[in-house]
Amino acid sequence: MARAFLIVMDSFGIGGAPDAAEYYNGEHSDDGAATFQHIAEACAQGRCDTKDRSGPLRVPNLKKMGIGHAAHQATGEWPDGFSEETDLIGRACAATEVSKGKDTISGHWEIGGVPVPFDWGYLPKTIPTLPDDVRDGMIAAANLPGILADRHAEGLGVIEEFGQEHIESGKPIVYTSADSVIQIAAHEKHFGLERLYDLCEATRKLADKYKIGRVIARPFLGENPETFERTGNRRDYSVPPPEPTVLDRLEGAGHAVRAIGKVADIFAHRGVTDTRKVSGHPALMEETLKALDELPDGGFAFINFVDFDQLYGHRRNPAGYAAALEWFDARLPEILGGLRPDDLLIITADHGNDPTWTGTDHTRERVPVLMTGAETAPGLAVMRETFADIGETIASHLRIPNGTHGQPIGRV
């Protein structure tokens, strides 16, 4: 019986969003942002040469799956080092987001078949950024001496800046971004992991009336800026999707749904029968390979490879992003080799995060849809007008009724 595997290369956009000019990083619009293409360009120009990698971007397996074709369809231009590939092993296309926003939750929900039908609430680029009642409610709920940062910030940088003061004062680090999110960073030992989770649960309730999509616990360890590092105990407190996603529909039909990485949190744990909460690309890859071996007939595995986004996109590190892409590509044959004859694999992204762009926020972009397996004919598919077509392709493959927001992508 058929199985389905969906991998989100978090933030691996391919440019070309028709409404990119309406989205901003600071004062600069996202018009022209193209994560994949600009990484390939930077590599070709030698701007990504480090002790770990050098030269043009080398992703031969993604290339055979059609990443160059998807990027060309999205923008009308071939990325540096990519051209018409005739020896394809997959079917490729680009997809356009219809949800308002360029955040993780909107992208994933739409991939799951449910575009976001409303405007999220966003926090202003002021210091402080939190509404008074949210700040005061957090302090009262956790008996805090106060909070630190209270502004828009990049996650790793704000921990480096305020981590020492946090340890000394007991005040958690609270920050936001262009996403609809409140993030709370605290030391696992000095502040306490369970105390951080309790604080996030209280904040989730306070944030509801402002339509904030997620409250995220960001635990870390270390004793100084040189040793601070976030741990794998991140937890997202999301509002639930407004209607059943493909995960809900599969679970309701009796299918196994395994969520790997942060996926279960994004969907408020709805429609998930098995959660594998791991972080870091090596651990995520191992869980993916386990799923290929263990997932029962009719099962669906939904995996998010987050490091592309949080370690390299937000930190505007094209060399690191390029190295991560090459690492993923080198491991891709293990995934392809684990597929059974009736399995379908789809590789996509949830938004862009162009590491060559101004600012530190996500970028509004189209995403690739790379499909292989289950008698999928190699070639270029028609460009999709919504990410929801991805979820409906999964639904069709696993033979459950389709939802109302998308159509299955033709695979022949």
Side-chain angles (χ1 to χ4, degrees), residues 11-282:
S11 84
F12 189 48
I14 53 174
D19 56 359
E22 300 173 19
Y23 293 82
Y24 285 81
N25 265 264
E27 300 301 318
H28 197 287
S29 87
D30 290 343
D31 189 26
T35 300
F36 168 46
Q37 291 91 324
H38 287 159
I39 293 170
E41 179 182 56
C43 289
Q45 295 175 352
R47 293 187 285 119
C48 291
D49 290 354
T50 69
K51 63 181 180 63
D52 298 315
R53 65 137 343 262
S54 62
L57 181 66
R58 298 178 181 89
V59 286
N61 298 298
L62 286 169
K63 187 175 184 180
K64 288 182 178 181
M65 286 194 69
I67 185 61
H69 290 261
H72 181 264
Q73 186 182 70
T75 65
E77 298 179 359
W78 291 100
D80 280 82
F82 294 78
S83 59
E84 192 88 27
E85 176 69 47
T86 57
D87 189 24
L88 293 179
I89 62 172
R91 195 162 187 82
C93 63
T96 304
E97 186 171 11
V98 299
S99 298
K100 297 179 180 179
K102 52 177 179 175
D103 53 274
T104 296
I105 195 167
S106 296
H108 280 77
W109 285 7
E110 189 169 328
I111 288 169
V114 180
V116 176
F118 52 82
D119 289 318
W120 291 110
Y122 298 94
L123 298 178
K125 290 191 174 181
T126 57
I127 302 175
T129 187
L130 291 177
D132 291 343
D133 62 328
V134 174
R135 184 186 314 104
D136 294 344
M138 292 172 64
I139 291 170
N143 193 26
L144 299 172
I147 64 173
L148 299 173
D150 198 359
R151 67 188 193 193
H152 280 241
E154 184 275 318
L156 295 172
V158 79
I159 291 173
E160 292 171 358
E161 181 177 355
F162 290 99
Q164 198 76 51
E165 185 178 353
H166 158 70
I167 292 172
E168 295 170 357
S169 69
K171 299 176 182 178
I173 304 165
V174 184
Y175 59 103
T176 187
S177 69
D179 281 3
S180 180
V181 65
I182 297 173
Q183 306 202 56
I184 307 175
H187 199 282
E188 284 197 5
K189 294 182 178 178
H190 294 290
F191 189 86
L193 185 59
E194 292 303 321
R195 188 182 179 203
L196 173 60
Y197 291 160
D198 289 344
L199 174 59
C200 287
E201 288 184 2
T203 306
R204 171 70 274 166
K205 296 174 183 177
L206 295 165
D208 281 348
K209 74 175 185 179
Y210 294 99
K211 294 185 177 180
I212 300 298
R214 288 181 296 161
V215 174
I216 304 178
R218 289 288 197 178
F220 66 96
L221 289 171
E223 298 301 320
N224 54 58
E226 289 71 35
T227 59
F228 289 147
E229 60 178 0
R230 294 195 294 206
T231 75
N233 292 318
R234 162 184 172 156
R235 187 173 292 179
D236 293 39
Y237 298 80
S238 302
V239 295
E243 59 184 276
T245 68
V246 69
L247 288 74
D248 296 304
R249 289 184 274 133
L250 284 167
E251 181 194 30
H255 295 254
V257 178
R258 180 176 293 192
I260 299 175
K262 66 179 184 178
V263 171
D265 286 347
I266 294 168
F267 289 89
H269 293 262
R270 279 189 15 183
V272 175
T273 64
D274 182 7
T275 300
R276 303 298 173 95
K277 189 69 178 291
V278 296
S279 63
H281 279 187

Side-chain angles (χ1 to χ4, degrees), residues 3 5 288-296 338 340:
R3 305 183 301 171
F5 298 84
T288 302
L289 298 177
K290 285 182 184 178
L292 285 159
D293 183 54
E294 300 171 353
L295 197 68
R340 299 173 187 171

